[in-house]
Amino acid sequence: MAVFTKVSKNQMAIFINSYDVGELISFKGIEEGVENTNFLIITTYGKYILTLYEKRVNPLDLPFFLSLMTHLSSAGLTCPTPIQDRNGKQLRELAGRNAVLVSFLPGLCIIRPEPNHCQEAGGALARFHKAGQNFTMKRTNTLGPDGWKLLFKQIEHRANEIYKDLDQIILAEFRALLPNWPKHLPVGVIHADLFPDNMFFCEGTFSGVIDFYFSCNDFLAYDLAICINAWCFEPNISYNLSKGESFLRGYEKERPLTSEEKKALPLLARGAAVRFLLTRSYDWLHTTPDSLVKPHNPIDYLYRLLFHQSVKSSAEYGLHRSNT
């Protein structure tokens, strides 16, 4: 479970009463969360989601995240919309945590996506990128290449507890990737964490995107590379070419990639694997046995990285050779 902060019925009723959303009927903690505490709220007006931001979220980033959700929703992308209280405030406090009430999205996440889900997801990612092009606020990607060495310093002395010579594998990746990292690809707002559990579907069709708390400004194709890692590998870490082809087809139908983006995709996918290898290694080594959340095994991203090391062109991800 991942309800980090407990809220009493009285606290919740007082909090909800400060909004024009009807009277509180019930609330229930959502156990699937990882970073924050989330509650499903039911009132006489309908359903809502309440998020309490835990210590891992920088409070200074919250205006960016909330403004982005409002912007995307107004641009036609289905996502949670922050709700203002009767005083016009979106960001509140509850139980000692920053708190936001947002609209409820129907649908379910697909943990084992099929190619049709991947094509829907690719199209949704491209629409996200297009909708964010005129969003004026900026946030640096603190988990991009500039942050990798700092992350590595925090795990370097214990990395080999996870996998033999993992420290040397990561250092070799730094030497291969950092000097060659692209500099002039199209940039914009990216989701940066669009895993299958952050996208909802209704009857196989995209119905919404959630969890914008890693969103930032970076290369749009880097976001696509993150999704290739997240959506297109099987549980045994074999790459599913049909899923990759479907995801890329869905994306390019909405936003065709430039020739430079296509050329850079293998390097970006390799870098995305390094990013999640580092963060998952950190969590694996620093999460206590009594934690409410079980950390993801970083080895899954080591094996993805090994696959990407062998990729020579974006065609191997499913981007048709005629388009490369």
Side-chain angles (χ1 to χ4, degrees):
M1 63 179 292
V3 178
F4 303 99
T5 300
K6 304 296 183 183
V7 179
S8 71
K9 184 176 181 179
N10 186 55
Q11 284 178 304
M12 189 66 79
I14 293 172
F15 183 83
I16 295 299
N17 189 52
S18 64
Y19 293 84
D20 188 19
V21 295
E23 296 181 7
L24 179 68
I25 295 176
S26 66
F27 68 99
K28 180 181 180 181
I30 299 173
E31 297 183 354
E32 288 79 6
V34 174
E35 298 289 333
N36 302 306
T37 296
N38 295 288
F39 293 96
L40 171 63
I41 307 293
I42 300 179
T43 76
T44 51
Y45 284 12
K47 296 180 180 179
Y48 304 88
I49 298 294
L50 172 65
T51 297
L52 304 186
Y53 297 100
E54 302 296 341
K55 296 179 181 179
R56 194 162 180 171
V57 176
N58 184 346
L60 296 177
D61 288 330
L62 290 175
F64 176 91
F65 300 142
L66 301 182
S67 296
L68 177 60
M69 286 189 280
T70 300
H71 172 86
L72 293 172
S73 181
S74 66
L77 185 78
T78 309
C79 66
T81 304
I83 297 170
Q84 295 182 350
D85 68 8
R86 291 194 176 96
N87 294 319
K89 293 179 61 177
Q90 293 180 339
L91 185 59
R92 300 279 308 285
E93 184 175 305
L94 177 61
R97 297 286 188 267
N98 285 306
V100 170
L101 186 70
V102 302
S103 58
F104 177 84
L105 293 186
L108 296 171
C109 61
I110 306 294
I111 301 303
R112 291 286 301 275
E114 297 296 332
N116 64 300
H117 301 118
C118 292
Q119 184 161 339
E120 288 277 333
L125 179 67
R127 293 193 295 276
F128 173 100
H129 289 164
K130 292 196 296 183
Q133 283 299 293
N134 58 352
F135 183 64
T136 57
M137 296 180 71
K138 306 290 183 184
R139 179 176 180 266
T140 300
N141 184 4
T142 56
L143 296 176
D146 291 340
W148 292 348
K149 287 186 177 181
L150 178 61
L151 268 171
F152 179 64
K153 286 181 180 179
Q154 298 176 75
I155 67 166
E156 182 176 11
H157 64 295
R158 296 182 60 196
N160 294 345
E161 295 177 23
I162 298 173
Y163 189 86
K164 182 181 178 181
D165 296 329
L166 181 59
D167 58 346
Q168 297 306 308
I169 293 171
I170 293 172
L171 287 172
E173 283 303 295
F174 287 171
R175 291 191 293 270
L177 296 177
L178 296 179
N180 299 302
W181 198 250
K183 294 181 174 61
H184 303 294
L185 299 180
V187 298
V189 181
I190 69 171
H191 188 282
D193 194 43
L194 194 55
F195 280 65
D197 58 356
N198 286 331
M199 185 175 290
F200 286 175
F201 293 83
C202 286
E203 297 181 355
T205 301
F206 165 78
S207 64
V209 177
I210 65 170
D211 201 349
F212 294 88
Y213 305 116
F214 288 97
S215 296
C216 56
N217 295 84
D218 208 326
F219 297 138
L220 302 180
Y222 181 61
D223 215 12
L224 182 58
I226 289 172
C227 288
I228 285 173
N229 278 282
W231 288 78
C232 303
F233 284 84
E234 295 301 309
N236 66 359
I237 320 300
S238 63
Y239 186 74
N240 187 314
L241 190 61
S242 295
K243 291 182 180 181
E245 184 177 32
S246 296
F247 201 104
L248 290 162
R249 183 188 303 115
Y251 187 90
E252 284 216 290
K253 184 177 180 180
E254 300 282 347
R255 179 188 170 267
L257 295 168
T258 67
S259 58
E260 292 79 9
E261 287 177 309
K262 295 172 184 177
K263 182 178 179 180
L265 195 57
L267 188 74
L268 295 172
R270 188 169 166 178
V274 169
R275 174 266 195 254
F276 285 97
L277 174 60
L278 288 167
T279 52
R280 291 189 175 194
S281 293
Y282 178 89
D283 290 345
W284 190 263
L285 294 170
H286 291 87
T287 300
T288 60
D290 60 347
S291 172
L292 294 175
V293 176
K294 182 179 179 181
H296 295 289
N297 192 336
I299 295 299
D300 290 349
Y301 268 83
L302 174 60
Y303 292 150
R304 283 169 168 81
L305 174 61
L306 297 177
F307 170 81
H308 296 310
Q309 288 174 347
S310 69
V311 172
K312 303 303 181 185
S313 79
S314 56
E316 295 178 58
Y317 293 120
L319 197 64
H320 291 297
R321 294 183 184 275
S322 60
N323 294 337
T324 59

